[in-house]
Each structure stands twice: as C-alpha cells, then as structure tokens.
Amino acid sequence: MTEKREKREMGMLLDGIIDGMPVFAKELVAGGVAGGLAKTVVAPLERVKILFQTRRDEFKAVGLYGSFKRLAHTEGIMGFYRGNGASVARIVPYAALHYMTYEQYRRWIILSFPDIGRGPVLDLVAGSFAGGTAVLFTYPLDLVRTKLAYQVVSSSKVNIHGVVGTEEVYKGIRDCFSKTLKESGLRGLYRGVAPSLYGIFPYAGLKFYFYEEMKRHVPEEHKKDIVVKLVCGSVAGLLGQTFTYPLDVVRRQMQVQRLLVSNNAELKGTMETLIMIMQRQGWKQLFSGLSINYLKVVPSVAIGFTVYDIMKASLRVPSRDVIEVVTAERNSQPSLHS
C-alpha cells in the first residue's frame, strides 16, 4: 500500500515538473535525448568512418570488415567507442539546440511572415538556420571528438603483425581541449568550422525538408507508427547526407591536419583544402567512407527523429498548430503600456 502511494506521489511530482516546463525546455530535453541515443547506437561506424576519411594508412586499404577486425584486435571493444564520450558530450547540446531552434525559427518565420506557406520550404529554411546555430555553439566538441577518434593506440597486450601502433597524443576530452588551446588558441578549436557551416546549412535543411514532406504523404491513421517514422527518418538522412558529404571529408581533414605526419603543407581554407584533396588524393577521396556513412545515417537520423517525436509526446508538447495559434494570439494582444 505504501509502495503504491509512493509511486503515485512520484508520478504526480513528475507530472507537475513536466507541466511546469516551458515548451522550449521540453524541446531541448527531447532533442538532447534523441541525439545522445542515436549517436551512441552508431558510434562504432562513426569511428571507422573518421579513420577512412582521414586516410589512416593501416585502415584505408582493408575495407569495412577489415577495419572492424583490426580495431577489435588492437583496441578491443572499447576501441569502437574511442571519442564517443566527446561525441555524446557534443551531440546532446547540439541535438537539443538543433531541434529546439528549428521549432523556434519555424514559429518566428510563420509569425513574422504570415503569408508564407507552411510547406516543405519552411522546414528547409528553419532547419538550415537551426543547424548553423547548433554548429556554432558546439563545434569545439566536434573537433575534440574527431581528434580522439583519429588516434589509434595498439593494446599493450596484443601485437598484431602489420598494425602500426601510435603513441597516444591526447588522454581524454579535457586534455585534448587544453592542448589544442595551448597549440593554436581559440581559433584552433574552430578549425574546419567553415566547411561544417557550408555543409550543415543544406544538410540540416534538406533533412527536415525530406522528413516533414514524407510525413505529409503518410495517411493520418499511420502517422504515429514508429516504423513509419523510422522509414521517413532513414530516407531523409540518406538524401540529405549524399548532397553534402564531400564537405564533411574536407572538415575532417582540416580538423586532424596537425596529427598527419605526412602532411608538410598546412591546409588553408575550405576551397583550398577541397582542391588539394582532389589533386593529391583524387576526387574519390571526397566520398571516402560514404558507404559507411550510409550505414550510419540510416539508423542515426531515423532513431533521432523517432525518439524526438516520442519524447515530445511523453513530455506533452502541444502540436505545432496549437503553439502557433497561442503565440499569435499573445502577440496580437495590445500591450498594457501602449
């Protein structure tokens, strides 16, 4: 009896907390949970993708299966999650800001431009600006994640013939931050941010565009089905990533250039780096790791959108139409001081 009463009281307390949260806070929580869960699921594929993009000599020629096997032998299971702590530390605030600002930009555009249609173009614009905002606030964590994932440290217990062991440059997130600041200053924490912004604007916009557009064609009785959300999210991520992938490769190589022993000439801006990769490594390098990225993007974006929608429902976030009507009514009320 006491246990039931405690559960009921806990439920009432939780309901009170949820009801007392502003809408933007609920969207932040929903986005953060969605991003963290999705990123952790695909962390092993993300690690191998980064190694492919940055042309580690001991990985680029062995393919996907060989890379997984080599990482398992040299670093063990935890090797697949090297850099994932920094990745999750980045993606939680990134996803929280991304989803929340998308909703906020969407409402602001509708209220500021009442004549604009509520079609996919609105989602494209709102998603693009939301992606840019999230990148600017969280980019240093992405840089740290990439540097940590780039390192390949052979296990002291295992010595596999043909595997090149390297000395660990960074011991963790904090060490990587401090060393990067010491070596390159604040600008060093934003190395590669330009291609990130060039890539995120179309990618984030296209991702929301495709997702919302596909959902509009789903019959009303199936719109809440998890499988439908997963399929829509998968296709949205797949299409969005295909158009912007070369910029992701440019960004990764700019981020780790100081760790590349064979790199004598320092990479300059985005276009210079893009041209240099094509000249020295061939245009195919701009799509290196794309097949892995497809395997990663499908579950990642699908899980992200699906968990976000589920979290919004759990946190009792009103529908967009309801929020937009309430906000419009508040803005149209005359001020007491006017």
Side-chain angles (χ1 to χ4, degrees):
M1 196 72 176
T2 304
E3 186 177 344
K4 288 184 179 180
R5 186 171 67 252
E6 289 177 352
K7 287 183 179 180
R8 186 168 60 251
E9 291 174 353
M10 184 63 71
M12 292 174 63
L13 176 63
L14 187 60
D15 288 341
I17 293 174
I18 292 175
D19 292 338
M21 292 172 65
V23 171
F24 79 89
K26 293 179 180 180
E27 291 166 349
L28 278 171
V29 172
V33 172
L37 182 60
K39 182 61 68 176
T40 301
V41 169
V42 300
L45 286 167
E46 179 73 11
R47 175 83 200 279
V48 174
K49 186 197 78 169
I50 290 175
L51 291 171
F52 271 33
Q53 288 179 326
T54 50
R55 291 177 63 87
R56 297 291 299 201
D57 289 339
E58 63 269 37
F59 287 92
K60 64 182 180 182
V62 296
L64 178 60
Y65 176 74
S67 296
F68 271 98
K69 187 176 179 180
R70 183 160 290 179
L71 272 177
H73 280 314
T74 57
E75 300 185 32
I77 296 298
M78 294 309 297
F80 293 110
Y81 292 89
R82 179 175 292 278
N84 190 55
S87 183
V88 171
R90 178 195 74 92
I91 202 64
V92 168
Y94 171 83
L97 282 170
H98 195 174
Y99 285 107
M100 186 274 288
T101 53
Y102 160 72
E103 304 283 5
Q104 295 294 326
Y105 281 130
R106 195 176 185 277
R107 290 170 204 142
W108 178 80
I109 292 171
I110 289 173
L111 294 173
S112 301
F113 307 95
D115 296 331
I116 194 171
R118 300 191 186 186
V121 175
L122 172 64
D123 297 306
L124 178 68
V125 174
S128 296
F129 280 104
T133 301
V135 163
L136 286 175
F137 277 96
T138 61
Y139 185 80
L141 285 166
D142 182 54
L143 179 85
V144 169
R145 182 276 302 264
T146 300
K147 286 189 172 185
L148 291 173
Y150 176 80
Q151 296 179 158
V152 179
V153 184
S154 297
S155 170
S156 59
K157 297 180 180 179
V158 182
N159 185 16
I160 304 298
H161 180 68
V163 175
V164 179
T166 63
E167 182 182 353
E168 188 168 12
V169 179
Y170 304 113
K171 295 180 174 62
I173 298 173
R174 183 178 298 180
D175 183 54
C176 188
F177 259 114
S178 62
K179 286 184 178 178
T180 302
L181 273 173
K182 187 176 179 179
E183 293 169 1
S184 311
L186 186 61
R187 289 184 64 182
L189 290 175
Y190 278 88
R191 181 175 296 278
V193 71
S196 293
L197 289 173
Y198 297 154
I200 198 62
F201 269 93
Y203 173 63
L206 288 170
K207 185 174 68 174
F208 280 103
Y209 173 95
F210 288 126
Y211 182 66
E212 296 297 334
E213 178 64 10
M214 283 187 291
K215 284 206 306 183
R216 287 186 182 95
H217 292 87
V218 174
E220 195 65 36
E221 62 270 19
H222 295 297
K223 284 191 174 180
K224 293 185 178 180
D225 292 353
I226 292 179
V227 175
V228 171
K229 293 179 185 292
L230 286 169
V231 171
C232 291
S234 300
V235 177
L238 202 65
L239 294 174
Q241 186 71 187
T242 301
F243 291 110
T244 60
Y245 189 78
L247 287 169
D248 190 45
V249 175
V250 171
R251 171 172 60 113
R252 296 299 184 198
Q253 294 211 14
M254 290 179 72
Q255 286 175 336
V256 302
Q257 63 171 298
R258 292 185 181 276
L259 301 177
L260 290 169
V261 177
S262 61
N263 187 23
N264 297 320
E266 184 172 336
L267 303 181
K268 302 297 183 181
T270 303
M271 288 308 299
E272 291 92 337
T273 304
L274 182 68
I275 294 171
M276 185 278 294
I277 292 174
M278 292 181 65
Q279 289 177 340
R280 298 185 184 178
Q281 304 170 18
W283 67 268
K284 289 184 179 180
Q285 179 61 24
L286 292 174
F287 294 90
S288 178
L290 182 57
S291 59
I292 300 176
N293 214 51
Y294 282 150
L295 294 176
K296 184 201 74 161
V297 162
V298 168
S300 179
V301 177
I303 292 170
F305 274 126
T306 303
V307 173
Y308 178 64
D309 284 344
I310 292 173
M311 285 297 299
K312 283 204 302 181
S314 300
L315 293 171
R316 297 191 284 277
V317 176
S319 69
R320 287 171 181 160
D321 292 336
V322 172
I323 295 174
E324 288 160 8
V325 168
V326 171
T327 307
E329 289 177 351
R330 287 177 181 172
N331 291 346
S332 63
Q333 290 177 356
S335 173
L336 295 175
H337 301 286
S338 60

